[in-house]
Amino acid sequence: MKIEKVYLTKDNLLKIEKIDNSFYTNAITGIEWYLERYNKKHYAYCLFDNNNMVGYIVSVPIRKALYDAIISGVLLNDLHINPEMFVNESNYNYIVSCVIKEEYRNKKYGKLLMETLLHDLKDCHACCLTISKEGYQLANKYLKLKNKLNDNVSVFEK
């Protein structure tokens, strides 16, 4: 098992989409949604078993206005974020998602991905929305709970 920093090329986004479809019940269908949001300067830390991607964590630089909307609880769902809010460089970052294929869960790989990402973001502001029990537990270990918006969605920041 190894963690690699990979850029969000179409090939890597197709692998991420496949992992998302194994976890999210309302997963995005179609690579176009991913390609609208992310560009080749954005990256993920990915977990590989040999050459197979089995998990990832994505964080992207965002405009401060989006960071403020997330932190204040205005945004409950990130599926419809205007892609123009994602930028190439910023002191504000949004931790979009961390998903690991089911057979690799509960082996501390999420912890390794989060620690790797946070080391990279040590001088930046970062926030995330959690929508799953697993996401909440991971974020709660490393980030500060800012706002519990409802039973399903919580906001965390670094």
Side-chain angles (χ1 to χ4, degrees):
M1 300 298 288
K2 64 181 175 178
I3 294 176
E4 288 183 24
K5 182 178 180 177
V6 303
Y7 288 92
L8 298 181
T9 62
K10 184 174 183 178
D11 287 344
N12 287 327
L13 287 169
L14 284 166
K15 293 172 188 172
I16 287 171
E17 178 190 27
K18 187 175 181 180
I19 292 169
D20 282 352
N21 287 335
S22 74
F23 180 74
Y24 294 113
T25 55
N26 60 344
I28 303 301
T29 54
I31 191 64
E32 295 79 20
W33 181 83
Y34 293 86
L35 292 171
E36 275 185 29
R37 288 170 68 115
Y38 309 119
N39 66 50
K40 293 176 186 169
K41 292 188 178 185
H42 295 147
Y43 60 87
Y45 286 103
C46 297
L47 179 66
F48 288 90
D49 185 358
N50 293 314
N51 289 325
N52 297 319
M53 186 187 297
V54 298
Y56 73 87
I57 190 166
V58 170
S59 175
V60 293
I62 58 174
R63 297 185 190 279
K64 186 175 185 309
L66 177 56
Y67 184 87
D68 292 342
I70 293 168
I71 291 299
S72 67
V74 170
L75 187 68
L76 293 176
N77 182 324
D78 73 352
L79 293 178
H80 304 293
I81 292 174
N82 180 340
E84 291 181 8
M85 297 304 277
F86 296 102
V87 295
N88 290 335
E89 291 183 30
S90 175
N91 198 35
Y92 297 90
N93 285 264
Y94 175 53
I95 303 170
V96 180
S97 186
C98 179
V99 179
I100 299 170
K101 286 186 175 182
E102 187 171 1
E103 60 269 29
Y104 295 90
R105 293 185 196 144
N106 301 312
K107 297 179 179 171
K108 302 195 187 267
Y109 295 130
K111 174 185 173 189
L112 289 172
L113 288 167
M114 181 66 90
E115 288 174 355
T116 302
L117 173 68
L118 291 177
H119 181 266
D120 194 42
L121 296 178
K122 65 180 174 248
D123 296 325
C124 297
H125 299 277
C127 65
C128 70
L129 291 170
T130 61
I131 61 168
S132 68
K133 178 184 76 171
E134 297 88 352
Y136 181 92
Q137 290 170 342
L138 182 63
N140 199 42
K141 286 181 185 175
Y142 295 96
L143 306 169
K144 183 177 107 186
L145 178 63
K146 181 73 175 169
N147 200 349
K148 190 160 178 64
L149 302 177
N150 59 43
D151 289 341
N152 299 317
V153 181
S154 297
V155 177
F156 288 84
E157 73 176 331
K158 175 181 93 58

